[in-house]
Amino acid sequence: MPENNPETHVIDFRAAEQLLAARDPRGAVKLLDSVIAAHPENTAARLLRARAFFAAAQLRPAELEFELVLEREPDNAFAHFALARTFQRAGREEQATRHFRLAAALDPNPEYLRAARFDDRS
């Protein structure tokens, strides 16, 4: 059965990356659903699916997926930053600020620092 073949899941994951890059987030989500069903512990697939949900303006599913990633990897600065962007887009500024600051504390990436309002350019 090809759906259960680990190689198929790797191919689907890579194809989902390409679809997201090509601005087809819904197509990416569809591919990632089968990967995650077979490998629910795969944090990379969940992070990619969260990004796809965000790109498709499906904010609640994006939020849930980013939160799941952060349960497993609380020091993932990108996941904090992306969750903050999700909250910001949903008009939840207080929660957004908290995660922007966590991202900046974990990684002094200039984009994270600007979003966290830790520098003078904001």
Side-chain angles (χ1 to χ4, degrees):
M1 193 169 196
E3 300 87 33
N4 293 326
N5 181 342
E7 291 174 9
T8 301
H9 298 144
V10 171
I11 291 167
D12 286 348
F13 179 86
R14 296 295 178 214
E17 287 178 317
Q18 294 301 312
L19 286 172
L20 188 56
R23 301 184 189 271
D24 181 4
R26 292 186 200 294
V29 167
K30 285 179 186 175
L31 285 176
L32 291 166
D33 285 345
S34 65
V35 174
I36 292 170
H39 304 282
E41 76 290 347
N42 187 319
T43 305
R46 289 193 174 274
L47 187 58
L48 186 60
R49 186 164 71 172
R51 291 176 47 218
F53 280 136
F54 180 84
Q58 295 179 13
L59 301 183
R60 184 64 179 148
E63 174 187 340
L64 294 172
E65 212 59 70
F66 284 128
E67 287 175 341
L68 198 147
V69 169
L70 287 168
E71 283 176 19
R72 296 174 183 181
E73 297 179 3
D75 60 345
N76 186 320
F78 175 78
H80 280 289
F81 180 76
L83 179 59
R85 285 277 184 236
T86 304
F87 285 140
Q88 185 180 52
R89 200 168 174 189
R92 296 160 62 188
E93 289 298 325
E94 189 173 313
Q95 290 169 294
T97 299
R98 177 177 180 271
H99 285 279
F100 280 137
R101 291 187 173 184
L102 285 166
L106 291 164
D107 180 353
N109 175 317
E111 186 177 10
Y112 298 174
L113 292 171
R114 274 192 302 278
R117 300 178 182 98
F118 284 149
D119 68 0
D120 295 331
R121 293 176 283 176
S122 300

